[in-house]
């Protein structure tokens, strides 16, 4: 289960046991580690409650681990005062599926912003007739964030890295 989707993998993740982690959240955790983004004691705000990204991210960031130990607020499209919630975030993970949803006035200065969104938006000036847009208004948020993932070229690549890492671990466990 290198995708980390089996109910046993999910149960182990919730219990803090060794398991395969869903590729996108795992890739994000690998990125936080690579860039030495301090998470301990930080307030992470996750926008999006999907079983693919939002919920696993809330578990990973709140876990008692080197790149966990956050206080986590899990928000969604129906959250009242979403802007105010986001303004509290030292780390904001946008996984809502709405292009450009997170604006600059929703982010506090110095926040780490991780854009998981990937949506095709029609654009007749583009070679393929569309562009890929993230959930974050990059130009506005870049003025405030201390770190911001691009779309494309950010979390998507880390998702592949997470899946490859899981695949390697599965192979190594099988050959031992």
């Amino acid at each position: 289960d290198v995708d980390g989707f089996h109910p046993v993998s999910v149960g182990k993740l919730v219990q803090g046991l060794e398991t395969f982690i869903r590729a996108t959240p795992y890739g994000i955790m690998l990125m936080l580690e690579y860039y030495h983004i301090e998470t301990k004691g930080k307030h992470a705000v996750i926008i999006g409650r999907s079983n693919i990204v939002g919920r696993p991210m809330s578990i990973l960031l709140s876990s008692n681990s080197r790149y966990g130990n956050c206080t986590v607020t899990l928000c969604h499209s129906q959250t009242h005062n979403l802007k105010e919630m986001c303004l509290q975030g030292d780390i904001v993970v946008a996984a809502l599926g709405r292009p450009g949803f997170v604006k600059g006035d929703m982010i506090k200065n110095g926040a780490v912003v991780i854009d998981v969104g990937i949506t095709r938006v029609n654009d007749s000036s583009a070679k393929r007739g569309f562009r890929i847009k993230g959930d974050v208004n990059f130009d506005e948020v870049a003025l405030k964030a201390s770190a911001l993932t691009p779309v494309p070229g950010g979390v998507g690549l880390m998702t592949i890295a997470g899946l490859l890492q899981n695949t390697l671990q599965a192979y190594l466990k099988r050959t031992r």
Side-chain angles (χ1 to χ4, degrees):
D1 178 38
V2 294
D3 289 322
F5 279 95
H6 192 278
V8 171
S9 295
V10 175
K12 286 182 173 183
L13 177 66
V14 170
Q15 293 178 338
L17 302 173
E18 184 179 332
T19 190
F20 293 113
I21 301 168
R22 296 194 176 177
T24 300
Y26 187 30
I28 292 168
M29 298 305 287
L30 291 171
M31 184 172 47
L32 292 172
E33 181 180 355
Y34 180 84
Y35 287 105
H36 306 288
I37 305 288
E38 183 60 48
T39 57
K40 183 179 179 182
K42 303 289 184 179
H43 184 186
V45 176
I46 301 168
I47 311 169
R49 58 184 166 190
S50 74
N51 290 324
I52 297 171
V53 178
R55 289 182 179 164
M57 279 308 307
S58 70
I59 294 164
L60 291 166
L61 287 171
S62 65
S63 69
N64 186 14
S65 64
R66 172 66 183 101
Y67 290 94
N69 288 304
C70 286
T71 298
V72 176
T73 301
L74 183 60
C75 300
H76 48 80
S77 61
Q78 304 303 309
T79 298
H80 293 290
N81 303 318
L82 182 57
K83 178 180 174 180
E84 288 76 17
M85 295 290 221
C86 289
L87 283 167
Q88 296 175 30
D90 301 305
I91 300 168
V92 176
V93 179
L96 194 62
R98 294 190 184 173
F101 181 85
V102 177
K103 308 285 188 217
D105 66 351
M106 297 172 72
I107 302 297
K108 73 178 182 179
N109 288 328
V112 172
V113 181
I114 300 166
D115 190 348
V116 182
I118 182 163
T119 304
R120 284 185 179 191
V121 176
N122 291 333
D123 182 349
S124 59
S125 68
K127 183 177 179 180
R128 295 183 179 169
F130 65 88
R131 292 201 184 280
I132 300 297
K133 293 282 190 176
D135 290 350
V136 174
N137 182 317
F138 189 90
D139 293 336
E140 289 182 17
V141 172
L143 298 173
K144 296 179 110 177
S146 63
L148 171 60
T149 60
V151 174
V155 172
L157 297 174
M158 294 310 300
T159 298
I160 295 166
L163 183 59
L164 289 173
Q165 185 67 24
N166 280 346
T167 303
L168 175 62
Q169 292 306 313
Y171 172 77
L172 292 174
K173 285 180 183 179
R174 184 179 171 119
T175 59
R176 287 183 191 157

